[in-house]
Amino acid sequence: AQTVTQSQPEMSVQEAETVTLSCTYDTSENNYYLFWYKQPPSRQMILVIRQEAYKQQNATENRFSVNFQKAAKSFSLKISDSQLGDTAMYFCAFMKPIRDMRFGAGTRLTVKP
Amino acid sequence: GAGVSQSPSNKVTEKGKDVELRCDPISGHTALYWYRQSLGQGLEFLIYFQGNSAPDKSGLPSDRFSAERTGGSVSTLTIQRTQQEDSAVYLCASSLGYRDSNYGYTFGSGTRLTVV
């Protein structure tokens, strides 16, 4: 079974600064997908960024980027120039191809003005 | 529809009663997933449907939980004889299909179920 671990239950960052959220996972698969989702108080899960395991290049989406270390089974999310609207729960997720997605316990991020 | 729609948004029920939660996926999405999110916890997989294939029920926590999907579109999650530990947010998600699920799911805003 695949497990996803987010070791930081809560984090905070000053507005405009950079923060990194950690995620590790356990799998024996070679082909899989990794995701970061954001969940604001509205409860709706919003896809932030996606990484394909067979691609060595780290995914980036504007202020969001990942550090994907396949051998270490690590998938951290870096948020640059943090904004107040980034305050939310962030979930790391793992998925084998054509299977359901499995999530970590989440990290609550607070951006302080 | 434009997004995944879930109803009701909030539901309070008495212990022992049955509840039905509804999910209306994005039009044309053939894959549909249910997750449960207990307070302060991550998402726990419950069940998923893909087209007309038999659903994967491996995540359902007990036989009090069941789900169906009519006509390959709307899905209903039913919890019988509710218990206080069933209190949680129930999230539904959909994706275009098996292969497109690799691009991620689109989630609804969930139903917050409170059992008193």
Side-chain angles (χ1 to χ4, degrees), chain A residues 8 19-25 34 36 49 58-59 64-69 73-79 92:
Chain A
Q8 305 151 315
V19 64
T20 299
L21 309 184
S22 301
C23 174
T24 59
Y25 56 94
L34 296 163
W36 279 97
I49 200 164
N58 288 325
F64 299 88
S65 61
V66 298
N67 182 6
F68 174 47
Q69 301 288 328
K73 297 179 184 175
S74 171
F75 182 61
S76 61
L77 174 70
K78 185 171 83 171
I79 306 174
C92 177

mmCIF file with all atom_site columns, all heavy atoms in Angstrom, chain A residues 8 19-25 34 36 49 58-59 64-69 73-79 92:
data_model
loop_
_atom_site.group_PDB
_atom_site.id
_atom_site.type_symbol
_atom_site.label_atom_id
_atom_site.label_alt_id
_atom_site.label_comp_id
_atom_site.label_asym_id
_atom_site.label_entity_id
_atom_site.label_seq_id
_atom_site.pdbx_PDB_ins_code
_atom_site.Cartn_x
_atom_site.Cartn_y
_atom_site.Cartn_z
_atom_site.occupancy
_atom_site.B_iso_or_equiv
_atom_site.pdbx_formal_charge
_atom_site.auth_seq_id
_atom_site.auth_comp_id
_atom_site.auth_asym_id
_atom_site.auth_atom_id
_atom_site.pdbx_PDB_model_num
ATOM 1   N N   . GLN A 1 8  ? 4.734  18.148 8.804   1.00 0.00 ? 8  GLN A N   1
ATOM 2   C CA  . GLN A 1 8  ? 4.532  19.479 9.376   1.00 0.00 ? 8  GLN A CA  1
ATOM 3   C C   . GLN A 1 8  ? 3.039  19.763 9.491   1.00 0.00 ? 8  GLN A C   1
ATOM 4   O O   . GLN A 1 8  ? 2.411  20.161 8.520   1.00 0.00 ? 8  GLN A O   1
ATOM 5   C CB  . GLN A 1 8  ? 5.172  20.539 8.473   1.00 0.00 ? 8  GLN A CB  1
ATOM 6   C CG  . GLN A 1 8  ? 6.637  20.301 8.182   1.00 0.00 ? 8  GLN A CG  1
ATOM 7   C CD  . GLN A 1 8  ? 7.050  20.882 6.826   1.00 0.00 ? 8  GLN A CD  1
ATOM 8   O OE1 . GLN A 1 8  ? 6.345  20.704 5.843   1.00 0.00 ? 8  GLN A OE1 1
ATOM 9   N NE2 . GLN A 1 8  ? 8.174  21.563 6.771   1.00 0.00 ? 8  GLN A NE2 1
ATOM 10  N N   . VAL A 1 19 ? 8.273  29.779 1.525   1.00 0.00 ? 19 VAL A N   1
ATOM 11  C CA  . VAL A 1 19 ? 8.051  28.681 2.472   1.00 0.00 ? 19 VAL A CA  1
ATOM 12  C C   . VAL A 1 19 ? 8.082  27.366 1.709   1.00 0.00 ? 19 VAL A C   1
ATOM 13  O O   . VAL A 1 19 ? 7.690  27.305 0.537   1.00 0.00 ? 19 VAL A O   1
ATOM 14  C CB  . VAL A 1 19 ? 6.711  28.852 3.212   1.00 0.00 ? 19 VAL A CB  1
ATOM 15  C CG1 . VAL A 1 19 ? 5.516  28.775 2.252   1.00 0.00 ? 19 VAL A CG1 1
ATOM 16  C CG2 . VAL A 1 19 ? 6.556  27.842 4.338   1.00 0.00 ? 19 VAL A CG2 1
ATOM 17  N N   . THR A 1 20 ? 8.561  26.326 2.371   1.00 0.00 ? 20 THR A N   1
ATOM 18  C CA  . THR A 1 20 ? 8.621  24.991 1.776   1.00 0.00 ? 20 THR A CA  1
ATOM 19  C C   . THR A 1 20 ? 7.868  23.995 2.644   1.00 0.00 ? 20 THR A C   1
ATOM 20  O O   . THR A 1 20 ? 8.127  23.887 3.841   1.00 0.00 ? 20 THR A O   1
ATOM 21  C CB  . THR A 1 20 ? 10.079 24.532 1.595   1.00 0.00 ? 20 THR A CB  1
ATOM 22  O OG1 . THR A 1 20 ? 10.758 25.441 0.725   1.00 0.00 ? 20 THR A OG1 1
ATOM 23  C CG2 . THR A 1 20 ? 10.131 23.141 0.984   1.00 0.00 ? 20 THR A CG2 1
ATOM 24  N N   . LEU A 1 21 ? 6.956  23.285 2.020   1.00 0.00 ? 21 LEU A N   1
ATOM 25  C CA  . LEU A 1 21 ? 6.160  22.247 2.694   1.00 0.00 ? 21 LEU A CA  1
ATOM 26  C C   . LEU A 1 21 ? 6.706  20.875 2.289   1.00 0.00 ? 21 LEU A C   1
ATOM 27  O O   . LEU A 1 21 ? 6.936  20.628 1.106   1.00 0.00 ? 21 LEU A O   1
ATOM 28  C CB  . LEU A 1 21 ? 4.684  22.355 2.302   1.00 0.00 ? 21 LEU A CB  1
ATOM 29  C CG  . LEU A 1 21 ? 4.036  23.725 2.442   1.00 0.00 ? 21 LEU A CG  1
ATOM 30  C CD1 . LEU A 1 21 ? 2.559  23.659 2.103   1.00 0.00 ? 21 LEU A CD1 1
ATOM 31  C CD2 . LEU A 1 21 ? 4.246  24.302 3.822   1.00 0.00 ? 21 LEU A CD2 1
ATOM 32  N N   . SER A 1 22 ? 6.861  20.001 3.266   1.00 0.00 ? 22 SER A N   1
ATOM 33  C CA  . SER A 1 22 ? 7.485  18.702 3.024   1.00 0.00 ? 22 SER A CA  1
ATOM 34  C C   . SER A 1 22 ? 6.467  17.597 2.784   1.00 0.00 ? 22 SER A C   1
ATOM 35  O O   . SER A 1 22 ? 5.356  17.633 3.339   1.00 0.00 ? 22 SER A O   1
ATOM 36  C CB  . SER A 1 22 ? 8.368  18.315 4.206   1.00 0.00 ? 22 SER A CB  1
ATOM 37  O OG  . SER A 1 22 ? 9.374  19.274 4.410   1.00 0.00 ? 22 SER A OG  1
ATOM 38  N N   . CYS A 1 23 ? 6.874  16.619 1.992   1.00 0.00 ? 23 CYS A N   1
ATOM 39  C CA  . CYS A 1 23 ? 6.041  15.447 1.742   1.00 0.00 ? 23 CYS A CA  1
ATOM 40  C C   . CYS A 1 23 ? 6.952  14.286 1.379   1.00 0.00 ? 23 CYS A C   1
ATOM 41  O O   . CYS A 1 23 ? 7.862  14.442 0.550   1.00 0.00 ? 23 CYS A O   1
ATOM 42  C CB  . CYS A 1 23 ? 5.065  15.703 0.598   1.00 0.00 ? 23 CYS A CB  1
ATOM 43  S SG  . CYS A 1 23 ? 4.101  14.256 0.077   1.00 0.00 ? 23 CYS A SG  1
ATOM 44  N N   . THR A 1 24 ? 6.744  13.165 2.001   1.00 0.00 ? 24 THR A N   1
ATOM 45  C CA  . THR A 1 24 ? 7.425  11.936 1.603   1.00 0.00 ? 24 THR A CA  1
ATOM 46  C C   . THR A 1 24 ? 6.378  10.864 1.358   1.00 0.00 ? 24 THR A C   1
ATOM 47  O O   . THR A 1 24 ? 5.253  10.943 1.854   1.00 0.00 ? 24 THR A O   1
ATOM 48  C CB  . THR A 1 24 ? 8.427  11.449 2.660   1.00 0.00 ? 24 THR A CB  1
ATOM 49  O OG1 . THR A 1 24 ? 7.720  11.215 3.888   1.00 0.00 ? 24 THR A OG1 1
ATOM 50  C CG2 . THR A 1 24 ? 9.536  12.458 2.882   1.00 0.00 ? 24 THR A CG2 1
ATOM 51  N N   . TYR A 1 25 ? 6.735  9.874  0.573   1.00 0.00 ? 25 TYR A N   1
ATOM 52  C CA  . TYR A 1 25 ? 5.788  8.830  0.229   1.00 0.00 ? 25 TYR A CA  1
ATOM 53  C C   . TYR A 1 25 ? 6.522  7.505  0.151   1.00 0.00 ? 25 TYR A C   1
ATOM 54  O O   . TYR A 1 25 ? 7.749  7.463  0.063   1.00 0.00 ? 25 TYR A O   1
ATOM 55  C CB  . TYR A 1 25 ? 5.079  9.145  -1.096  1.00 0.00 ? 25 TYR A CB  1
ATOM 56  C CG  . TYR A 1 25 ? 6.025  9.365  -2.235  1.00 0.00 ? 25 TYR A CG  1
ATOM 57  C CD1 . TYR A 1 25 ? 6.373  8.322  -3.079  1.00 0.00 ? 25 TYR A CD1 1
ATOM 58  C CD2 . TYR A 1 25 ? 6.607  10.621 -2.448  1.00 0.00 ? 25 TYR A CD2 1
ATOM 59  C CE1 . TYR A 1 25 ? 7.266  8.524  -4.119  1.00 0.00 ? 25 TYR A CE1 1
ATOM 60  C CE2 . TYR A 1 25 ? 7.497  10.816 -3.485  1.00 0.00 ? 25 TYR A CE2 1
ATOM 61  C CZ  . TYR A 1 25 ? 7.825  9.774  -4.312  1.00 0.00 ? 25 TYR A CZ  1
ATOM 62  O OH  . TYR A 1 25 ? 8.719  9.971  -5.342  1.00 0.00 ? 25 TYR A OH  1
ATOM 63  N N   . LEU A 1 34 ? 2.307  12.608 -8.673  1.00 0.00 ? 34 LEU A N   1
ATOM 64  C CA  . LEU A 1 34 ? 2.263  13.301 -7.385  1.00 0.00 ? 34 LEU A CA  1
ATOM 65  C C   . LEU A 1 34 ? 1.584  14.643 -7.558  1.00 0.00 ? 34 LEU A C   1
ATOM 66  O O   . LEU A 1 34 ? 1.728  15.292 -8.610  1.00 0.00 ? 34 LEU A O   1
ATOM 67  C CB  . LEU A 1 34 ? 3.684  13.494 -6.842  1.00 0.00 ? 34 LEU A CB  1
ATOM 68  C CG  . LEU A 1 34 ? 4.448  12.216 -6.520  1.00 0.00 ? 34 LEU A CG  1
ATOM 69  C CD1 . LEU A 1 34 ? 5.930  12.507 -6.399  1.00 0.00 ? 34 LEU A CD1 1
ATOM 70  C CD2 . LEU A 1 34 ? 3.921  11.580 -5.246  1.00 0.00 ? 34 LEU A CD2 1
ATOM 71  N N   . TRP A 1 36 ? 0.026  18.363 -5.408  1.00 0.00 ? 36 TRP A N   1
ATOM 72  C CA  . TRP A 1 36 ? -0.266 19.198 -4.253  1.00 0.00 ? 36 TRP A CA  1
ATOM 73  C C   . TRP A 1 36 ? -1.615 19.857 -4.485  1.00 0.00 ? 36 TRP A C   1
ATOM 74  O O   . TRP A 1 36 ? -1.858 20.453 -5.536  1.00 0.00 ? 36 TRP A O   1
ATOM 75  C CB  . TRP A 1 36 ? 0.806  20.273 -4.064  1.00 0.00 ? 36 TRP A CB  1
ATOM 76  C CG  . TRP A 1 36 ? 2.029  19.782 -3.368  1.00 0.00 ? 36 TRP A CG  1
ATOM 77  C CD1 . TRP A 1 36 ? 3.199  19.372 -3.940  1.00 0.00 ? 36 TRP A CD1 1
ATOM 78  C CD2 . TRP A 1 36 ? 2.223  19.652 -1.955  1.00 0.00 ? 36 TRP A CD2 1
ATOM 79  N NE1 . TRP A 1 36 ? 4.100  18.994 -2.972  1.00 0.00 ? 36 TRP A NE1 1
ATOM 80  C CE2 . TRP A 1 36 ? 3.525  19.166 -1.746  1.00 0.00 ? 36 TRP A CE2 1
ATOM 81  C CE3 . TRP A 1 36 ? 1.414  19.923 -0.841  1.00 0.00 ? 36 TRP A CE3 1
ATOM 82  C CZ2 . TRP A 1 36 ? 4.052  18.926 -0.473  1.00 0.00 ? 36 TRP A CZ2 1
ATOM 83  C CZ3 . TRP A 1 36 ? 1.934  19.677 0.419   1.00 0.00 ? 36 TRP A CZ3 1
ATOM 84  C CH2 . TRP A 1 36 ? 3.235  19.189 0.600   1.00 0.00 ? 36 TRP A CH2 1
ATOM 85  N N   . ILE A 1 49 ? -0.349 21.874 -8.215  1.00 0.00 ? 49 ILE A N   1
ATOM 86  C CA  . ILE A 1 49 ? 0.749  21.466 -9.091  1.00 0.00 ? 49 ILE A CA  1
ATOM 87  C C   . ILE A 1 49 ? 0.783  19.952 -9.185  1.00 0.00 ? 49 ILE A C   1
ATOM 88  O O   . ILE A 1 49 ? 0.326  19.252 -8.266  1.00 0.00 ? 49 ILE A O   1
ATOM 89  C CB  . ILE A 1 49 ? 2.097  22.048 -8.571  1.00 0.00 ? 49 ILE A CB  1
ATOM 90  C CG1 . ILE A 1 49 ? 3.161  22.080 -9.660  1.00 0.00 ? 49 ILE A CG1 1
ATOM 91  C CG2 . ILE A 1 49 ? 2.560  21.293 -7.338  1.00 0.00 ? 49 ILE A CG2 1
ATOM 92  C CD1 . ILE A 1 49 ? 4.343  22.985 -9.309  1.00 0.00 ? 49 ILE A CD1 1
ATOM 93  N N   . ASN A 1 58 ? 11.620 19.296 -12.417 1.00 0.00 ? 58 ASN A N   1
ATOM 94  C CA  . ASN A 1 58 ? 10.658 19.693 -11.401 1.00 0.00 ? 58 ASN A CA  1
ATOM 95  C C   . ASN A 1 58 ? 9.575  20.572 -12.002 1.00 0.00 ? 58 ASN A C   1
ATOM 96  O O   . ASN A 1 58 ? 9.862  21.500 -12.765 1.00 0.00 ? 58 ASN A O   1
ATOM 97  C CB  . ASN A 1 58 ? 11.359 20.451 -10.278 1.00 0.00 ? 58 ASN A CB  1
ATOM 98  C CG  . ASN A 1 58 ? 12.216 19.544 -9.425  1.00 0.00 ? 58 ASN A CG  1
ATOM 99  O OD1 . ASN A 1 58 ? 11.875 18.390 -9.183  1.00 0.00 ? 58 ASN A OD1 1
ATOM 100 N ND2 . ASN A 1 58 ? 13.342 20.053 -8.971  1.00 0.00 ? 58 ASN A ND2 1
ATOM 101 N N   . ALA A 1 59 ? 8.328  20.304 -11.617 1.00 0.00 ? 59 ALA A N   1
ATOM 102 C CA  . ALA A 1 59 ? 7.201  21.086 -12.125 1.00 0.00 ? 59 ALA A CA  1
ATOM 103 C C   . ALA A 1 59 ? 7.178  22.472 -11.479 1.00 0.00 ? 59 ALA A C   1
ATOM 104 O O   . ALA A 1 59 ? 7.572  22.639 -10.312 1.00 0.00 ? 59 ALA A O   1
ATOM 105 C CB  . ALA A 1 59 ? 5.894  20.355 -11.844 1.00 0.00 ? 59 ALA A CB  1
ATOM 106 N N   . PHE A 1 64 ? 4.590  28.671 -7.512  1.00 0.00 ? 64 PHE A N   1
ATOM 107 C CA  . PHE A 1 64 ? 4.663  27.350 -6.891  1.00 0.00 ? 64 PHE A CA  1
ATOM 108 C C   . PHE A 1 64 ? 5.629  26.457 -7.669  1.00 0.00 ? 64 PHE A C   1
ATOM 109 O O   . PHE A 1 64 ? 5.565  26.391 -8.897  1.00 0.00 ? 64 PHE A O   1
ATOM 110 C CB  . PHE A 1 64 ? 3.271  26.699 -6.872  1.00 0.00 ? 64 PHE A CB  1
ATOM 111 C CG  . PHE A 1 64 ? 2.252  27.474 -6.087  1.00 0.00 ? 64 PHE A CG  1
ATOM 112 C CD1 . PHE A 1 64 ? 1.500  28.477 -6.690  1.00 0.00 ? 64 PHE A CD1 1
ATOM 113 C CD2 . PHE A 1 64 ? 2.048  27.208 -4.751  1.00 0.00 ? 64 PHE A CD2 1
ATOM 114 C CE1 . PHE A 1 64 ? 0.563  29.194 -5.965  1.00 0.00 ? 64 PHE A CE1 1
ATOM 115 C CE2 . PHE A 1 64 ? 1.104  27.914 -4.016  1.00 0.00 ? 64 PHE A CE2 1
ATOM 116 C CZ  . PHE A 1 64 ? 0.363  28.913 -4.625  1.00 0.00 ? 64 PHE A CZ  1
ATOM 117 N N   . SER A 1 65 ? 6.491  25.781 -6.957  1.00 0.00 ? 65 SER A N   1
ATOM 118 C CA  . SER A 1 65 ? 7.403  24.839 -7.593  1.00 0.00 ? 65 SER A CA  1
ATOM 119 C C   . SER A 1 65 ? 7.612  23.661 -6.651  1.00 0.00 ? 65 SER A C   1
ATOM 120 O O   . SER A 1 65 ? 7.330  23.749 -5.452  1.00 0.00 ? 65 SER A O   1
ATOM 121 C CB  . SER A 1 65 ? 8.741  25.510 -7.926  1.00 0.00 ? 65 SER A CB  1
ATOM 122 O OG  . SER A 1 65 ? 9.368  25.969 -6.740  1.00 0.00 ? 65 SER A OG  1
ATOM 123 N N   . VAL A 1 66 ? 8.087  22.567 -7.216  1.00 0.00 ? 66 VAL A N   1
ATOM 124 C CA  . VAL A 1 66 ? 8.330  21.383 -6.392  1.00 0.00 ? 66 VAL A CA  1
ATOM 125 C C   . VAL A 1 66 ? 9.797  20.990 -6.482  1.00 0.00 ? 66 VAL A C   1
ATOM 126 O O   . VAL A 1 66 ? 10.497 21.329 -7.434  1.00 0.00 ? 66 VAL A O   1
ATOM 127 C CB  . VAL A 1 66 ? 7.448  20.193 -6.804  1.00 0.00 ? 66 VAL A CB  1
ATOM 128 C CG1 . VAL A 1 66 ? 5.972  20.536 -6.631  1.00 0.00 ? 66 VAL A CG1 1
ATOM 129 C CG2 . VAL A 1 66 ? 7.746  19.732 -8.220  1.00 0.00 ? 66 VAL A CG2 1
ATOM 130 N N   . ASN A 1 67 ? 10.232 20.282 -5.443  1.00 0.00 ? 67 ASN A N   1
ATOM 131 C CA  . ASN A 1 67 ? 11.549 19.638 -5.450  1.00 0.00 ? 67 ASN A CA  1
ATOM 132 C C   . ASN A 1 67 ? 11.266 18.139 -5.351  1.00 0.00 ? 67 ASN A C   1
ATOM 133 O O   . ASN A 1 67 ? 10.949 17.620 -4.277  1.00 0.00 ? 67 ASN A O   1
ATOM 134 C CB  . ASN A 1 67 ? 12.386 20.119 -4.272  1.00 0.00 ? 67 ASN A CB  1
ATOM 135 C CG  . ASN A 1 67 ? 13.786 19.493 -4.299  1.00 0.00 ? 67 ASN A CG  1
ATOM 136 O OD1 . ASN A 1 67 ? 14.158 18.790 -5.243  1.00 0.00 ? 67 ASN A OD1 1
ATOM 137 N ND2 . ASN A 1 67 ? 14.564 19.762 -3.263  1.00 0.00 ? 67 ASN A ND2 1
ATOM 138 N N   . PHE A 1 68 ? 11.334 17.470 -6.492  1.00 0.00 ? 68 PHE A N   1
ATOM 139 C CA  . PHE A 1 68 ? 11.017 16.051 -6.584  1.00 0.00 ? 68 PHE A CA  1
ATOM 140 C C   . PHE A 1 68 ? 12.303 15.248 -6.545  1.00 0.00 ? 68 PHE A C   1
ATOM 141 O O   . PHE A 1 68 ? 13.145 15.375 -7.447  1.00 0.00 ? 68 PHE A O   1
ATOM 142 C CB  . PHE A 1 68 ? 10.244 15.786 -7.879  1.00 0.00 ? 68 PHE A CB  1
ATOM 143 C CG  . PHE A 1 68 ? 9.987  14.330 -8.170  1.00 0.00 ? 68 PHE A CG  1
ATOM 144 C CD1 . PHE A 1 68 ? 9.497  13.484 -7.195  1.00 0.00 ? 68 PHE A CD1 1
ATOM 145 C CD2 . PHE A 1 68 ? 10.230 13.813 -9.441  1.00 0.00 ? 68 PHE A CD2 1
ATOM 146 C CE1 . PHE A 1 68 ? 9.256  12.143 -7.467  1.00 0.00 ? 68 PHE A CE1 1
ATOM 147 C CE2 . PHE A 1 68 ? 9.990  12.483 -9.725  1.00 0.00 ? 68 PHE A CE2 1
ATOM 148 C CZ  . PHE A 1 68 ? 9.502  11.642 -8.742  1.00 0.00 ? 68 PHE A CZ  1
ATOM 149 N N   . GLN A 1 69 ? 12.449 14.453 -5.502  1.00 0.00 ? 69 GLN A N   1
ATOM 150 C CA  . GLN A 1 69 ? 13.618 13.601 -5.342  1.00 0.00 ? 69 GLN A CA  1
ATOM 151 C C   . GLN A 1 69 ? 13.124 12.153 -5.362  1.00 0.00 ? 69 GLN A C   1
ATOM 152 O O   . GLN A 1 69 ? 12.709 11.616 -4.314  1.00 0.00 ? 69 GLN A O   1
ATOM 153 C CB  . GLN A 1 69 ? 14.329 13.909 -4.017  1.00 0.00 ? 69 GLN A CB  1
ATOM 154 C CG  . GLN A 1 69 ? 14.794 15.340 -3.870  1.00 0.00 ? 69 GLN A CG  1
ATOM 155 C CD  . GLN A 1 69 ? 15.971 15.636 -4.769  1.00 0.00 ? 69 GLN A CD  1
ATOM 156 O OE1 . GLN A 1 69 ? 16.796 14.773 -5.058  1.00 0.00 ? 69 GLN A OE1 1
ATOM 157 N NE2 . GLN A 1 69 ? 16.042 16.877 -5.245  1.00 0.00 ? 69 GLN A NE2 1
ATOM 158 N N   . LYS A 1 73 ? 12.194 9.552  -2.450  1.00 0.00 ? 73 LYS A N   1
ATOM 159 C CA  . LYS A 1 73 ? 10.729 9.546  -2.330  1.00 0.00 ? 73 LYS A CA  1
ATOM 160 C C   . LYS A 1 73 ? 10.249 10.773 -1.572  1.00 0.00 ? 73 LYS A C   1
ATOM 161 O O   . LYS A 1 73 ? 9.486  10.690 -0.595  1.00 0.00 ? 73 LYS A O   1
ATOM 162 C CB  . LYS A 1 73 ? 10.255 8.240  -1.681  1.00 0.00 ? 73 LYS A CB  1
ATOM 163 C CG  . LYS A 1 73 ? 10.596 7.022  -2.515  1.00 0.00 ? 73 LYS A CG  1
ATOM 164 C CD  . LYS A 1 73 ? 10.146 5.725  -1.877  1.00 0.00 ? 73 LYS A CD  1
ATOM 165 C CE  . LYS A 1 73 ? 10.615 4.559  -2.740  1.00 0.00 ? 73 LYS A CE  1
ATOM 166 N NZ  . LYS A 1 73 ? 10.321 3.248  -2.135  1.00 0.00 ? 73 LYS A NZ  1
ATOM 167 N N   . SER A 1 74 ? 10.710 11.907 -2.061  1.00 0.00 ? 74 SER A N   1
ATOM 168 C CA  . SER A 1 74 ? 10.397 13.184 -1.440  1.00 0.00 ? 74 SER A CA  1
ATOM 169 C C   . SER A 1 74 ? 9.807  14.128 -2.484  1.00 0.00 ? 74 SER A C   1
ATOM 170 O O   . SER A 1 74 ? 10.266 14.154 -3.638  1.00 0.00 ? 74 SER A O   1
ATOM 171 C CB  . SER A 1 74 ? 11.664 13.781 -0.844  1.00 0.00 ? 74 SER A CB  1
ATOM 172 O OG  . SER A 1 74 ? 11.461 15.108 -0.416  1.00 0.00 ? 74 SER A OG  1
ATOM 173 N N   . PHE A 1 75 ? 8.821  14.907 -2.066  1.00 0.00 ? 75 PHE A N   1
ATOM 174 C CA  . PHE A 1 75 ? 8.106  15.778 -3.007  1.00 0.00 ? 75 PHE A CA  1
ATOM 175 C C   . PHE A 1 75 ? 7.681  17.030 -2.256  1.00 0.00 ? 75 PHE A C   1
ATOM 176 O O   . PHE A 1 75 ? 6.554  17.141 -1.781  1.00 0.00 ? 75 PHE A O   1
ATOM 177 C CB  . PHE A 1 75 ? 6.898  15.013 -3.552  1.00 0.00 ? 75 PHE A CB  1
ATOM 178 C CG  . PHE A 1 75 ? 6.081  15.757 -4.577  1.00 0.00 ? 75 PHE A CG  1
ATOM 179 C CD1 . PHE A 1 75 ? 6.639  16.168 -5.768  1.00 0.00 ? 75 PHE A CD1 1
ATOM 180 C CD2 . PHE A 1 75 ? 4.735  16.025 -4.360  1.00 0.00 ? 75 PHE A CD2 1
ATOM 181 C CE1 . PHE A 1 75 ? 5.885  16.834 -6.727  1.00 0.00 ? 75 PHE A CE1 1
ATOM 182 C CE2 . PHE A 1 75 ? 3.965  16.687 -5.307  1.00 0.00 ? 75 PHE A CE2 1
ATOM 183 C CZ  . PHE A 1 75 ? 4.548  17.094 -6.490  1.00 0.00 ? 75 PHE A CZ  1
ATOM 184 N N   . SER A 1 76 ? 8.568  18.005 -2.132  1.00 0.00 ? 76 SER A N   1
ATOM 185 C CA  . SER A 1 76 ? 8.264  19.202 -1.363  1.00 0.00 ? 76 SER A CA  1
ATOM 186 C C   . SER A 1 76 ? 7.730  20.317 -2.266  1.00 0.00 ? 76 SER A C   1
ATOM 187 O O   . SER A 1 76 ? 8.049  20.376 -3.452  1.00 0.00 ? 76 SER A O   1
ATOM 188 C CB  . SER A 1 76 ? 9.498  19.678 -0.600  1.00 0.00 ? 76 SER A CB  1
ATOM 189 O OG  . SER A 1 76 ? 10.536 19.999 -1.503  1.00 0.00 ? 76 SER A OG  1
ATOM 190 N N   . LEU A 1 77 ? 6.928  21.180 -1.679  1.00 0.00 ? 77 LEU A N   1
ATOM 191 C CA  . LEU A 1 77 ? 6.310  22.301 -2.386  1.00 0.00 ? 77 LEU A CA  1
ATOM 192 C C   . LEU A 1 77 ? 6.920  23.594 -1.885  1.00 0.00 ? 77 LEU A C   1
ATOM 193 O O   . LEU A 1 77 ? 6.919  23.846 -0.672  1.00 0.00 ? 77 LEU A O   1
ATOM 194 C CB  . LEU A 1 77 ? 4.798  22.321 -2.138  1.00 0.00 ? 77 LEU A CB  1
ATOM 195 C CG  . LEU A 1 77 ? 4.040  23.525 -2.700  1.00 0.00 ? 77 LEU A CG  1
ATOM 196 C CD1 . LEU A 1 77 ? 4.002  23.476 -4.233  1.00 0.00 ? 77 LEU A CD1 1
ATOM 197 C CD2 . LEU A 1 77 ? 2.619  23.582 -2.149  1.00 0.00 ? 77 LEU A CD2 1
ATOM 198 N N   . LYS A 1 78 ? 7.401  24.419 -2.806  1.00 0.00 ? 78 LYS A N   1
ATOM 199 C CA  . LYS A 1 78 ? 7.934  25.722 -2.458  1.00 0.00 ? 78 LYS A CA  1
ATOM 200 C C   . LYS A 1 78 ? 6.986  26.791 -2.955  1.00 0.00 ? 78 LYS A C   1
ATOM 201 O O   . LYS A 1 78 ? 6.609  26.803 -4.131  1.00 0.00 ? 78 LYS A O   1
ATOM 202 C CB  . LYS A 1 78 ? 9.326  25.942 -3.047  1.00 0.00 ? 78 LYS A CB  1
ATOM 203 C CG  . LYS A 1 78 ? 9.961  27.252 -2.597  1.00 0.00 ? 78 LYS A CG  1
ATOM 204 C CD  . LYS A 1 78 ? 11.415 27.368 -3.014  1.00 0.00 ? 78 LYS A CD  1
ATOM 205 C CE  . LYS A 1 78 ? 11.550 27.853 -4.421  1.00 0.00 ? 78 LYS A CE  1
ATOM 206 N NZ  . LYS A 1 78 ? 12.985 28.172 -4.771  1.00 0.00 ? 78 LYS A NZ  1
ATOM 207 N N   . ILE A 1 79 ? 6.597  27.673 -2.044  1.00 0.00 ? 79 ILE A N   1
ATOM 208 C CA  . ILE A 1 79 ? 5.743  28.809 -2.401  1.00 0.00 ? 79 ILE A CA  1
ATOM 209 C C   . ILE A 1 79 ? 6.591  30.067 -2.257  1.00 0.00 ? 79 ILE A C   1
ATOM 210 O O   . ILE A 1 79 ? 7.068  30.382 -1.163  1.00 0.00 ? 79 ILE A O   1
ATOM 211 C CB  . ILE A 1 79 ? 4.500  28.901 -1.499  1.00 0.00 ? 79 ILE A CB  1
ATOM 212 C CG1 . ILE A 1 79 ? 3.749  27.570 -1.507  1.00 0.00 ? 79 ILE A CG1 1
ATOM 213 C CG2 . ILE A 1 79 ? 3.597  30.041 -1.959  1.00 0.00 ? 79 ILE A CG2 1
ATOM 214 C CD1 . ILE A 1 79 ? 2.574  27.527 -0.530  1.00 0.00 ? 79 ILE A CD1 1
ATOM 215 N N   . CYS A 1 92 ? -0.581 16.813 0.107   1.00 0.00 ? 92 CYS A N   1
ATOM 216 C CA  . CYS A 1 92 ? 0.234  16.093 -0.860  1.00 0.00 ? 92 CYS A CA  1
ATOM 217 C C   . CYS A 1 92 ? -0.511 14.799 -1.210  1.00 0.00 ? 92 CYS A C   1
ATOM 218 O O   . CYS A 1 92 ? -1.129 14.176 -0.332  1.00 0.00 ? 92 CYS A O   1
ATOM 219 C CB  . CYS A 1 92 ? 1.585  15.782 -0.217  1.00 0.00 ? 92 CYS A CB  1
ATOM 220 S SG  . CYS A 1 92 ? 2.725  14.826 -1.220  1.00 0.00 ? 92 CYS A SG  1
#
